[in-house]
Amino acid sequence: MSTDKRVLGLISVILGASLWGIGGTATDWLFRNTPVNVDWYVTARLLISGIILVSVFLLLFKKKSSTVWDRYLVTRFVIYSVFGMTLVQYSFTATIGYGNAAIATVLQCTGPIYIILYYVFRKYIQFTHKEALVILFMIVGVILIATNGNLSQLIVSPLALFWGILSGMALAYYTVHAAYLLVRMHPLELVGGSMLVGGLLLNFKTPIWSLEFHYDWSALEIGVLVFSILIGTTLAFLLYIGSLKYITSQEAGILGLLEPVMAVLTTVIVLGDVLEVFQVIGITLILGITIFNTISSKKEAKA
């Protein structure tokens, strides 16, 4: 592979992850300043992004696809769409709604805890000191974020904590379940298709046309809404998926941590939220142990 393509892959994943993080903060801003709520936003996000990503797949990659849709694949795909894509998107967005973008993105990073426990339970891996260390650091990190070191009280909304932890679980399922599907499907076909299925299902509960269109929308509010869906979601996914052609999944995983970093920075700088000292320590613990886990997993895979 040429150096130019590798550089392109690195730039793509950096941009994609950064846009995810900024998009989360944009979503947070919308919840605070407009009639947009969690239910409508997730419906719109999945439906619009799903339509665009599936269209890109059909136009550019359909002829190269060799997907055979049998009953087993359809069943796995539908389950993934509901309990993977839709649940991870809804729980993440709900965490933003009840907390903020910084808390949401960091709590979602706890997904490796559940992946490790699942792999140990299925006896795919041994439970070693490394796995124990990852789980311990992440649990301590979550406790510090939720309590700022004072175990007698929560400084994060219980609902934000609930949805954030569920978001980590959903991300773990989303990651593990995708492994089989990606053997038989193009990444855009899987991501775009599952988004479209989730958006269509949620549209029965909260139709995309149920937004308060009589609200006096400013150009800024419309711009932030468009940015959060088209740039912070659709383009971010396209860039991230595109980068995987030129760099390894481990590299993408490490650089993907720019998402929570950007979310934390923009939440503090743009929204003016204040993170307490022990919360910052908790965030650092979770991000640091995630990098360690990704690097060590890469070395184990090579071995």
Side-chain angles (χ1 to χ4, degrees):
M1 183 187 299
S2 69
T3 303
D4 289 344
K5 288 185 176 180
R6 177 171 167 74
V7 171
L8 177 63
L10 292 172
I11 292 173
S12 294
V13 73
I14 289 170
L15 278 176
S18 298
L19 288 175
W20 266 330
I22 298 170
T25 303
T27 303
D28 197 347
W29 188 89
L30 287 169
F31 291 160
R32 301 183 190 196
N33 296 282
T34 73
V36 173
N37 58 39
V38 171
D39 288 354
W40 181 89
Y41 182 79
V42 179
T43 299
R45 185 183 200 183
L46 289 175
L47 202 54
I48 294 171
S49 295
I51 290 171
I52 294 173
L53 294 177
V54 168
S55 299
V56 171
F57 167 75
L58 292 175
L59 289 172
L60 301 179
F61 302 101
K62 175 62 176 175
K63 292 182 180 179
K64 300 177 183 178
S65 174
S66 57
T67 305
V68 178
W69 287 94
D70 53 36
R71 183 181 300 177
Y72 185 66
L73 181 60
V74 170
T75 302
R76 292 286 294 260
F77 173 73
V78 171
I79 293 173
Y80 174 84
S81 298
V82 176
F83 296 102
M85 178 61 75
T86 305
L87 184 57
V88 79
Q89 291 286 337
Y90 189 91
S91 56
F92 173 74
T93 308
T95 309
I96 294 176
Y98 291 111
N100 59 42
I103 299 298
T105 51
V106 173
L107 288 180
Q108 194 175 64
C109 288
T110 60
I113 290 178
Y114 314 107
I115 294 175
I116 289 170
L117 292 175
Y118 172 75
Y119 282 165
V120 170
F121 177 75
R122 294 299 300 269
K123 298 183 179 178
Y124 294 149
I125 62 172
Q126 296 292 321
F127 190 78
T128 66
H129 290 93
K130 190 205 84 172
E131 281 71 33
L133 186 69
V134 171
I135 292 174
L136 176 63
F137 270 57
M138 287 197 170
I139 290 174
V140 171
V142 171
I143 291 173
L144 290 177
I145 290 170
T147 66
N148 191 38
N150 183 356
L151 300 181
S152 64
Q153 65 177 7
L154 289 174
I155 63 171
V156 173
S157 161
L159 282 173
L161 197 58
F162 166 78
W163 284 111
I165 292 173
L166 184 60
S167 176
M169 293 180 178
L171 182 67
Y173 176 80
Y174 171 95
T175 303
V176 172
H177 197 125
Y180 165 79
L181 292 171
L182 285 172
V183 173
R184 300 185 57 179
M185 299 176 67
H186 188 280
L188 271 180
E189 185 180 20
L190 175 60
V191 173
S194 58
M195 280 186 163
L196 185 56
V197 169
L200 289 171
L201 290 174
L202 290 177
N203 201 63
F204 286 102
K205 180 178 181 294
T206 310
I208 196 170
W209 53 83
S210 65
L211 183 65
E212 293 183 31
F213 291 102
H214 297 297
Y215 173 76
D216 185 19
W217 290 87
S218 68
L220 174 62
E221 291 165 341
I222 294 172
V224 173
L225 178 59
V226 171
F227 173 86
S228 67
I229 293 177
L230 296 185
I231 308 299
T233 303
T234 312
L235 180 59
F237 266 107
L238 280 171
L239 288 168
Y240 189 85
I241 291 171
S243 73
L244 296 176
K245 292 192 298 183
Y246 308 120
I247 63 175
T248 66
S249 58
Q250 287 85 3
E251 289 173 321
I254 293 173
L255 291 173
L257 288 175
L258 281 170
E259 178 191 0
V261 172
M262 291 301 296
V264 170
L265 290 176
T266 51
T267 295
V268 172
I269 296 171
V270 178
L271 301 182
D273 287 8
V274 177
L275 293 172
E276 303 294 340
V277 174
F278 282 102
Q279 286 187 300
V280 173
I281 294 173
I283 290 171
T284 304
L285 278 177
I286 290 174
L287 297 183
I289 202 64
T290 302
I291 294 174
F292 165 78
N293 184 53
T294 304
I295 293 174
S296 60
S297 296
K298 180 181 179 181
K299 291 179 179 178
E300 289 170 4
K302 283 184 176 180

